[in-house]
Amino acid sequence: MAKLTPPPGPQDHARGKEGAPVTLVEYGDFQCPHCGKAFPAVEDIVKKMGPGLRFIFRHFPLSESHAMAKPAAIAAEAAGRQGKFWEMHHGIFQNQEMLSAETLFAIAQHIGLDLEQFRNDIQDTALEDKVDADFESGVRSGVNGTPSFFINGQKYNGSYDEESLMASLTF
């Protein structure tokens, strides 16, 4: 069974406290329709499990199929510099059907980002390097499609619907 490489650390965007009994890591692509379908299920699980779950999102943009996946990932990282990674993450998935540079700026404005800083940050190669590092960690971890999930460091191979995921999270 594939193991998560590297383990969760300070490089990750995480919701929930470190040391929670269950850590769920998703490798996702903001333009992937399957990730879009998994998004509400994961959100419900995060709410239901509360302090029992730590959720981490890592970027795995499938750029050959989804032209806006990497720009969206970089936009989320740029929002993260202003403390709003998760707001951008949610906004992108909620507007997945109409992803464009204009949509990313509209989301940035809607969530209250400093747009000048956002404009500068999305051009910073360090953010592209972060997205690439997430992608590479996915490859090393055995990710071959999105969404891919890891539960407490072990690759989860079941369905990504809420019921199936939840059953695997509560042992």
Side-chain angles (χ1 to χ4, degrees):
M1 182 169 284
K3 283 183 109 50
L4 183 65
T5 307
Q11 77 279 4
D12 289 311
H13 295 285
R15 291 164 63 193
K17 62 182 192 285
E18 199 171 336
V22 179
T23 299
L24 176 65
V25 176
E26 176 184 358
Y27 280 92
D29 170 324
F30 283 118
Q31 205 172 2
C32 164
H34 303 291
C35 295
K37 285 188 180 113
F39 169 71
V42 170
E43 285 307 301
D44 285 347
I45 288 168
V46 168
K47 286 181 184 96
K48 286 177 182 169
M49 289 191 68
L53 179 72
R54 184 168 195 227
F55 174 62
I56 292 170
F57 184 87
R58 289 183 178 172
H59 305 287
F60 201 80
L62 300 170
S63 301
E64 290 174 18
S65 307
H66 304 129
M68 286 303 299
K70 193 167 188 179
I74 291 168
E77 289 298 320
R81 285 192 172 171
Q82 296 185 47
K84 297 207 172 182
F85 174 85
W86 292 108
E87 291 87 342
M88 181 61 89
H89 169 276
H90 287 49
I92 293 170
F93 275 125
Q94 290 162 347
N95 294 282
Q96 186 185 53
E97 299 294 316
M98 51 188 190
L99 270 186
S100 66
E102 293 78 19
T103 302
L104 294 173
F105 273 91
I107 296 166
Q109 183 171 15
H110 179 74
I111 64 174
L113 295 183
D114 174 323
L115 294 181
E116 188 173 334
Q117 181 183 341
F118 178 73
R119 187 174 286 109
N120 290 331
D121 285 345
I122 60 174
Q123 295 172 40
D124 184 344
T125 56
L127 297 185
E128 185 173 359
D129 292 346
K130 162 67 167 93
V131 172
D132 291 344
D134 275 6
F135 186 89
E136 289 302 318
S137 79
V139 171
R140 287 194 313 274
S141 300
V143 172
N144 54 9
T146 56
S148 283
F149 293 98
F150 288 78
I151 300 170
N152 291 343
Q154 298 294 317
K155 191 158 195 288
Y156 166 77
N157 290 311
S159 175
Y160 54 81
D161 66 274
E162 183 178 346
E163 192 175 302
S164 300
L165 256 176
M166 190 65 140
S168 294
L169 292 170
T170 51
F171 0 91

